[in-house]
Amino acid sequence: MSDSPEQVASARGSCAEQLTRWGLSDLAFTTELLVSELVTNAIRHGSAPVGLRLIRDQALVCGVHDTSSSVPRVCHATGNDERGRGLFMIEETADRWGVRFDPGGKTVWAEQDIGEETAAD
C-alpha cells in the first residue's frame, strides 16, 4: 500500500471484500472504521511503506504496519479540535488494541471478538 491518503478508501474496500469472503459482513462497518483510522494514522504520523493485514482467528485482528518507531498515544480532543480522535475512537470501538514493535517499525492493531461459532466456520 502506498502512503497517500487516497489509499484509505482502497484499504476500506479491500477490507469489506475480505470480510464478505469470510462471512463476516456484519462486522464491516466497525472494521472499516478501525481500518480507516489505523491507516490514516500510519500515513499521517508513521513512515512509508504502510501495510494492512487482517487476521481471522478466535478474533478479527486488523493490523497496520509502518516503519516508524514513534509511539502512538490516545488524545482526548476538545469540541473544537478537528483532529486527534483516531486512537480514542479505536479504543472505544475495538475490544482490544495495542502496539507491537519489531526491528522494521511497528504494528498498531485492533481486535474484535467474532464469537466461537463464527471463528470455527
Side-chain angles (χ1 to χ4, degrees), residues 3-110:
D3 63 346
S4 68
E6 293 80 23
Q7 291 303 311
V8 177
S10 176
R12 281 193 312 267
S14 296
C15 169
E17 290 172 10
Q18 184 61 55
L19 292 176
T20 298
R21 284 193 291 274
W22 284 339
L24 298 175
S25 296
D26 55 322
L27 297 177
F29 179 80
T30 301
T31 306
E32 288 180 51
L33 173 67
L34 293 170
V35 165
S36 290
E37 293 302 325
L38 292 170
V39 171
T40 299
N41 284 348
I43 290 170
R44 285 188 179 158
H45 307 293
S47 300
V50 172
L52 168 65
R53 184 173 180 199
L54 296 176
I55 302 169
R56 178 186 177 207
D57 195 22
Q58 299 299 329
L60 177 64
V61 180
C62 303
V64 175
H65 186 270
D66 69 76
T67 58
S68 168
S69 61
S70 64
V71 178
R73 60 185 177 84
V74 176
C75 296
H76 297 278
T78 65
N80 294 330
D81 292 337
E82 292 184 20
R83 299 171 73 171
R85 293 179 178 85
L87 286 178
F88 177 76
M89 288 174 47
I90 290 167
E91 185 174 71
E92 293 296 309
T93 305
D95 292 307
R96 285 163 295 286
W97 76 277
V99 183
R100 184 176 51 250
F101 293 92
D102 62 51
K106 69 176 176 302
T107 299
V108 181
W109 56 270

